[in-house]
Amino acid sequence: MRKNGSPPSQQVTAFLNARLIDPASGKDEPGGLLVKDGVIADLGTHLRRNAPERAHVVDGRGHVLCPGLIDMQVFTGEPGQEHRETLKTASHAAAAGGVTTIVVMPDTEPVIDQVALVDFIQRRARDNAIVNVHVMAAMTRGLKGQDMTEIGLLQRAGAIAFTNGKNSVANSRVMRNALLYGKDFGALIVHHTEDPYLTEGGVMNAGEVATRLGLPGVHAVAESIILERDVRLVEVTGGRYHAATLSSADSLAVVRAAKARRLPVTAGVSINHLTLNENDIGHYRTFLRLRPPLRAEEDRAALVRALAAGDIDVIVSSHDPQDADVKRHPFAEAADGAIGLETLLAAALGLYHKREIALMPLLRAMTIAPARLLGLPSGRLEKGAPADLILVDLAQPWVVDKTLLKARSKNSPFDESRLQGRVLLTMVGGAIVSEHAPATP
């Protein structure tokens, strides 16, 4: 699909006078880029000011032109809870935020644990979504952590990875078998690392802040225990494993050790845990009740350093829409989760503007790194690659207004925050699907 008034993907589009950044190759140079038939036809400094005749010209004005973001953890409400989010509304939110590919999680009603449901999501996405949509199917039936799904059949139907969603698999035998079967099919197993017995009843990070607020806490050891077990199972099975969203400094040592032993282990982190900490909860702000919970500032800083060092591979939005009925409760009774597709890039750029991390590794974790993990052809600027692109003004400030967000639910942890960095244009498959007017000079 394409936005009304945008050039069709068959037409030549020329991006001129842009700053080309390609995390896959390390390219960062002024230049231009040509799009034809939905793919990148040419790029480089020789195209900085020259466009073919009759091409649709986009003046980059020196702004960053880079691959569109790939978000490999997006929860929606479709099927079953469309009042929270649909594939259509999620895709419009994604396009506005510069996310050109979303991977939807199986935590729906019914759970995406059968071939027919994978097919349903793909058909709905083709008919309604304006960005690329892929399915991460359930690795256990009903996400109950007991009986494995048909990984081979689901993969053949189009599932690109397997997860137990928000639920950890407490049964080590089931987790071992999932890794074994995943290895047979070359499938990536993605796991939420929280011991369900240690997290039961907890609503925020255990520590001084939780004590002061009078809220039950969740210790970081609940995360590292599951992670350590999983890494040992990877060592035994050889299966490909990805820790979905780490939140604590203690877990980083486990990941580093696994990578040092060349185990097929990777790790992700949500933008919330890179940019927020437990103190931001303030006076019981339920939009910041998350899972895993926000940790101490020391943990947040350690996660950013790990990202810069390559110990953490991927940044996700962990987009998890919840409606007002389940958020307007006392903190301990509110549902966990926050939306994040529209603020993912801008919030991440805050780390760059504060000089906590360079731009290239920041973009790498949202483009080529998830693309390689999931076997996707996008996430790079090179001839023949899909024309999934974004034009970004790194300096443009804006204030998050939840009433203007395109997501159906409005539970943004960055509501009323001032962010710096705006996506001016999003292109998917050669078609412009979102545009935002640049700031007036």
Side-chain angles (χ1 to χ4, degrees):
M1 296 179 66
R2 65 186 180 91
K3 183 179 176 180
N4 291 336
S6 68
S9 58
Q10 291 77 19
Q11 181 178 323
V12 175
T13 300
F15 290 90
L16 305 181
N17 190 30
R19 177 186 173 187
L20 303 178
I21 294 185
D22 178 29
S25 63
K27 182 195 302 288
D28 184 351
E29 62 185 22
L33 183 146
L34 296 182
V35 173
K36 185 177 181 181
D37 299 330
V39 300
I40 298 173
D42 198 7
L43 73 161
T45 55
H46 62 289
L47 296 171
R48 186 177 182 184
R49 301 187 185 281
N50 300 312
E53 188 177 350
R54 297 183 180 178
H56 173 75
V57 175
V58 177
D59 184 358
R61 298 188 180 185
H63 297 311
V64 168
L65 182 66
C66 68
L69 309 188
I70 299 169
D71 189 347
M72 59 184 286
Q73 189 176 92
V74 176
F75 297 90
T76 71
E78 189 173 2
Q81 294 184 320
E82 286 82 359
H83 64 283
R84 292 173 52 203
E85 192 83 282
T86 64
L87 294 172
K88 180 177 181 179
T89 57
S91 74
H92 281 270
V99 178
T100 55
T101 298
I102 62 175
V103 180
V104 296
M105 303 297 282
D107 307 52
T108 52
E109 295 182 5
V111 169
I112 305 173
D113 59 3
Q114 297 181 34
V115 167
L117 288 163
V118 173
D119 183 62
F120 169 80
I121 294 295
Q122 292 174 329
R123 285 187 288 105
R124 291 288 293 173
R126 278 195 298 269
D127 292 341
N128 296 287
I130 61 172
V131 302
N132 304 306
V133 178
H134 295 283
V135 180
M136 194 176 294
M139 66 174 168
T140 66
R141 297 188 186 280
L143 301 177
K144 294 180 179 179
Q146 296 299 321
D147 301 313
M148 282 179 47
T149 56
E150 296 286 351
I151 288 178
L153 293 177
L154 290 166
Q155 185 184 60
R156 196 178 308 160
I160 62 171
F162 297 87
T163 183
N164 217 49
K166 292 183 183 180
N167 305 304
S168 289
V169 175
N171 189 317
S172 298
R173 176 182 56 80
V174 173
M175 191 65 195
R176 180 201 63 188
N177 289 343
L179 288 164
L180 278 171
Y181 279 91
K183 182 185 179 183
D184 289 342
F185 295 100
L188 180 67
I189 301 299
V190 180
H191 198 215
H192 176 75
T193 52
E194 277 191 316
D195 186 304
Y197 303 106
L198 291 176
T199 58
E200 187 175 3
V203 299
M204 69 171 295
N205 183 50
E208 180 185 339
V209 178
T211 301
R212 190 169 68 246
L213 294 176
L215 295 172
V218 175
H219 198 281
V221 73
E223 178 175 282
S224 57
I225 281 177
I226 294 295
L227 182 61
E228 287 175 346
R229 181 207 66 173
D230 289 353
V231 168
R232 288 183 177 273
L233 292 175
V234 169
E235 196 166 18
V236 170
T237 62
R240 295 175 60 217
Y241 173 85
H242 180 76
T245 50
L246 299 185
S247 66
S248 71
D250 289 347
S251 297
L252 299 175
V254 182
V255 172
R256 290 190 190 102
K259 291 190 172 188
R261 299 201 303 273
R262 298 185 181 276
L263 297 177
V265 171
T266 53
V269 63
S270 87
I271 189 59
N272 303 317
H273 293 87
L274 287 174
T275 58
L276 302 167
N277 65 42
E278 60 186 353
N279 294 302
D280 291 304
I281 291 172
H283 296 291
Y284 308 97
R285 294 178 61 200
T286 60
F287 284 4
L288 275 74
R289 181 172 174 187
L290 306 174
R291 189 171 174 190
L294 294 174
R295 303 288 183 189
E297 170 59 18
E298 293 78 10
D299 292 296
R300 187 204 67 80
L303 291 169
V304 175
R305 291 194 298 270
L307 178 67
D311 298 322
I312 289 180
D313 303 88
V314 170
I315 302 173
V316 299
S317 71
S318 199
H319 180 82
D320 191 0
Q322 303 290 345
D323 63 23
D325 288 344
V326 296
K327 277 294 187 181
R328 289 177 181 169
H329 288 283
F331 192 91
E333 300 172 16
D336 55 68
I339 60 171
L341 281 166
E342 289 165 86
T343 52
L344 171 60
L345 180 58
L349 287 174
L351 300 172
Y352 163 71
H353 291 304
K354 294 174 185 174
R355 300 186 179 181
E356 293 189 60
I357 188 171
L359 185 58
M360 193 68 77
L362 193 67
L363 292 176
R364 183 182 300 120
M366 296 181 284
T367 55
I368 189 60
R372 286 173 174 163
L373 271 181
L374 300 170
L376 300 176
S378 53
R380 66 201 78 201
L381 295 187
E382 63 180 40
K383 292 182 183 179
D388 297 344
L389 309 167
I390 55 174
L391 185 67
V392 184
D393 182 347
L394 297 180
Q396 184 173 336
W398 59 290
V399 176
V400 180
D401 181 346
K402 64 184 179 184
T403 65
L404 300 179
L405 296 177
K406 296 184 181 297
R408 176 162 287 186
S409 295
K410 307 299 181 183
N411 54 311
S412 172
F414 300 103
D415 185 35
E416 299 183 359
S417 297
R418 177 175 287 273
L419 302 179
Q420 186 176 1
R422 197 78 192 241
V423 177
L424 303 178
L425 178 147
T426 301
M427 172 177 279
V428 178
I432 296 171
V433 295
S434 178
E435 285 185 273
H436 180 81
T440 303

